[in-house]
């Protein structure tokens, strides 16, 4: 069992979401526009969302799979992450989506860090840049 777990984890393909900073300094995490290539205004069902921190574990998560009201978004629409991201902390965010009417799941993941510069401006760092800044 211990030998198969690493091989199973390595088989999961992760997609990279779009992430930008909103005016309030919090990230807007969304499904990229190229997921709706023909601009048909597709809807995506969000199954699960989560925020993690290395060395700490899960900080927040929300499971929508068994919710009484499904959670649908369109591309480039900010997902609900009901978590207040702190400055100068590296987080791993993730979510699972399916195209509405399709059961094929997509796993999305990114490492993020919101740096507050000396002049007070905020800078969003992603993936390897976020991890490198934490060292």
């Amino acid at each position: 069992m211990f030998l198969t777990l690493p091989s199973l984890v390595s088989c999961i393909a992760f997609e990279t979401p779009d992430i930008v900073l909103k005016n309030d300094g919090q990230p807007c995490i969304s499904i990229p526009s190229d997921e709706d290539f023909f601009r048909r205004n597709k809807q995506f069902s969000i199954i699960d969302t989560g925020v993690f921190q290395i060395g700490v574990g899960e900080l927040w998560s929300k499971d929508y799979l068994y919710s009484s009201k499904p959670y649908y978004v369109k591309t480039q629409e900010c997902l609900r992450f009901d978590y207040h991201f702190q400055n100068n902390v590296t987080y791993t965010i993730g979510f699972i989506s399916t195209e509405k009417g399709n059961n094929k799941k997509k796993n999305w993941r990114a490492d993020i860090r919101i740096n507050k510069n000396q002049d007070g401006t905020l800078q969003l760092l992603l993936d390897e840049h976020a991890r490198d800044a934490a060292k």
Side-chain angles (χ1 to χ4, degrees):
M1 172 126 151
F2 292 106
L3 295 175
T4 58
L5 185 59
S7 62
L8 288 174
V9 171
S10 65
C11 293
I12 295 175
F14 289 100
E15 303 291 329
T16 303
D18 278 349
I19 306 172
V20 297
L21 281 181
K22 298 183 291 186
N23 291 339
D24 66 0
Q26 292 295 294
C28 170
I29 302 159
S30 64
I31 295 174
S33 62
D34 60 2
E35 288 294 310
D36 192 0
F37 185 73
F38 294 109
R39 305 213 188 284
R40 294 179 295 168
N41 221 11
K42 287 186 203 177
Q43 286 191 324
F44 296 86
S45 176
I46 303 302
I47 297 170
D48 189 59
T49 54
V51 178
F52 306 87
Q53 186 178 355
I54 293 174
V56 176
E58 182 179 275
L59 301 174
W60 176 87
S61 69
K62 178 74 175 172
D63 182 353
Y64 295 97
L65 184 60
Y66 301 107
S67 175
S68 60
K69 185 178 178 196
Y71 177 27
Y72 295 111
V73 297
K74 295 180 182 176
T75 60
Q76 297 185 311
E77 181 179 333
C78 296
L79 274 68
R80 287 191 303 256
F81 276 81
D82 295 327
Y83 183 82
H84 181 77
F85 293 88
Q86 306 270 331
N87 296 334
N88 304 315
V89 175
T90 300
Y91 298 97
T92 299
I93 58 92
F95 63 96
I96 301 170
S97 71
T98 62
E99 186 178 326
K100 188 176 179 181
N102 181 342
N103 288 330
K104 184 178 177 190
K105 293 179 182 177
K106 276 199 174 180
N107 293 289
W108 302 84
R109 185 183 109 20
D111 292 325
I112 66 170
R113 182 180 180 93
I114 303 165
N115 271 354
K116 187 168 187 175
N117 298 320
Q118 289 181 348
D119 64 1
T121 60
L122 298 177
Q123 176 187 22
L124 178 65
L125 302 175
L126 302 174
D127 296 323
E128 67 274 356
H129 302 290
R131 292 187 297 270
D132 289 346
K135 293 179 183 176

